[in-house]
Amino acid sequence: MAEKRWIAETLFDDLGFSMSYQVDKVLYEMQTEHQHLVLFEHPFFGKMLMLDGATQITKRDEFIYQEMMSHVPLFAHGQAREVLIIGGGDCGIAEEVLKHKSVKRLTQVEIDAAVIEFSKEHFPEFTKPVFADKRFESVIDDGMKYVARTERRFDAIIVDSTDPQGPGKVLFSQKFYAACKRCMNKGAVLVTQNGVPMFQPNELASSVAKFRRLFADGACYVAAIPTYIGGHMAMGWASDDRRLRQTPVKALAARHRKAGAFSTRYWTPEVHAAAFALPRFIADVVARARPRR
Ligand code: SAM
């Protein structure tokens, strides 16, 4: 019997640490215009997508990240109508956002058309409902260019990007966050994929410091995602409305009921509020994030 292939996550090679996954079957592999893309079947995690050696999504645990990147900003805001997703080509977050009936228009700006096309084939559970929804607009573009020139204004911006390498690097820059602020409505909120603080503390500190140069409130919240190795995953948070991050559990529960109390597998009003209570070592990283003038 042929030896099983193993695919390694190479994101933390420089830390002398790598995680490998046994491959039952490679479903799709290609070098796109922007990055190396491989989709394979794993015996436990199911379908797994990797871009440039970094795990993006697995069928087994995708709900944690998708729910926390969408329901936390939208329930904290409470009446978001115009929403922008930067990246997010697998459409997992878009599917969660569209569960909010208050959302009137959702625009997703993904740089790599190949990720969308292959997600239509391999992640129909996300792409089918999303592309069937009249509120959804898919734009193929560099997120930096889009926010730098759009006339639109948004109540929530969700940056579901790759890590700060290759095409994703610019999405962690000061000019990107400043351009996001330019197209945010009063009281709007920005959330970002911001790595795992245990292995990527500088990435988090650098983003929060940049947020604090632009917004009244720069912080993060956390969730544990098994295949984003390293314990807590940090999601960056920026808004000029300091109250949003303190939204009481009662208000969150009432907003979820008003939104039709759709089912979730990770997000609850209590988990939402608790996600901003940071373990000391992460709170220290955020506390050190001073905006340099
Ligand atoms: N949840 C995943 C994570 O945390 O690593 C990210 C998933 S999503 C697939 C990431 C998407 O960001 C990819 O499809 C990638 O093509 C897109 N992306 C990277 N750089 C981008 C840019 N500058 N503008 C728009 N999309 C970008």
Side-chain angles (χ1 to χ4, degrees):
M1 185 140 99
E3 183 100 4
K4 287 258 178 183
R5 176 179 170 188
W6 288 72
I7 292 183
E9 164 119 32
T10 56
L11 194 55
F12 302 119
D13 279 6
D14 57 344
L15 297 177
F17 168 58
S18 172
M19 188 81 167
S20 290
Y21 296 92
Q22 188 183 350
V23 176
D24 270 356
K25 188 171 171 223
V26 171
L27 301 169
Y28 197 96
E29 187 160 14
M30 68 179 289
Q31 182 61 39
T32 79
E33 193 191 335
H34 300 280
Q35 52 213 338
H36 177 263
L37 183 159
V38 60
L39 178 82
F40 58 96
E41 272 295 344
H42 181 270
F44 178 78
F45 290 109
K47 272 186 195 164
M48 287 186 67
L49 168 66
M50 276 198 188
L51 293 173
D52 286 346
T55 302
Q56 303 294 308
I57 185 172
T58 85
K59 203 63 207 98
R60 168 81 66 165
D61 65 2
E62 53 79 19
F63 64 95
I64 304 171
Y65 173 80
Q66 320 279 29
E67 289 185 12
M68 292 301 277
M69 284 288 278
S70 44
H71 304 321
V72 171
L74 296 183
F75 281 128
H77 186 286
Q79 43 197 328
R81 300 165 65 82
E82 300 282 336
V83 180
L84 173 64
I85 295 174
I86 300 287
D90 52 70
C91 295
I93 288 184
E95 194 243 348
E96 295 295 338
V97 168
L98 292 169
K99 290 178 181 171
H100 294 253
K101 296 289 169 274
S102 65
V103 171
K104 297 299 171 233
R105 191 153 52 153
L106 170 61
T107 299
Q108 179 175 279
V109 179
E110 163 60 55
I111 196 169
D112 197 336
V115 173
I116 302 257
E117 285 324 304
F118 116 93
S119 295
K120 282 182 178 170
E121 191 183 337
H122 293 284
F123 291 113
E125 63 275 32
F126 303 140
T127 51
K128 260 213 160 61
V130 165
F131 279 88
D133 195 312
K134 290 192 186 51
R135 298 172 293 165
F136 181 70
E137 176 197 19
S138 173
V139 176
I140 301 298
D141 194 358
D142 178 347
M144 177 69 239
K145 292 192 185 128
Y146 182 85
V147 289
R149 60 169 180 245
T150 184
E151 295 307 317
R152 302 263 315 281
R153 295 293 176 267
F154 302 95
D155 301 309
I157 299 182
I158 301 172
V159 184
D160 176 24
S161 72
T162 42
D163 292 278
Q165 60 185 21
K169 194 171 172 65
V170 69
L171 304 181
F172 293 77
S173 67
Q174 186 73 44
K175 66 176 182 172
F176 173 70
Y177 297 140
C180 285
K181 171 140 191 183
R182 184 192 72 85
C183 53
M184 287 164 73
N185 284 324
K186 192 168 178 315
V189 59
L190 166 70
V191 297
T192 60
Q193 184 275 95
N194 242 119
V196 284
M198 176 58 76
F199 298 146
Q200 303 161 301
N202 300 340
E203 178 187 314
L204 177 61
S206 152
S207 290
V208 173
K210 290 167 183 155
F211 295 159
R212 288 177 175 168
R213 209 181 280 170
L214 293 160
F215 297 90
D217 191 22
C220 80
Y221 58 104
V222 293
I225 297 145
T227 53
Y228 292 168
I229 309 155
H232 300 84
M233 169 89 179
M235 286 156 268
W237 175 275
S239 178
D240 277 338
D241 185 342
R242 293 175 187 282
R243 295 163 305 161
L244 295 189
R245 198 157 50 92
Q246 327 282 341
T247 308
V249 167
K250 264 214 173 104
L252 296 169
R255 290 172 185 176
H256 184 219
R257 281 194 300 278
K258 191 161 160 253
F262 52 79
S263 70
T264 58
R265 295 178 59 206
Y266 189 87
W267 183 92
T268 69
E270 295 76 15
V271 164
H272 174 141
F276 289 96
L278 304 176
R280 174 72 60 204
F281 82 97
I282 300 177
D284 291 348
V285 169
V286 170
R288 277 201 307 274
R290 300 236 177 292
R292 281 191 305 286
R293 295 283 161 218

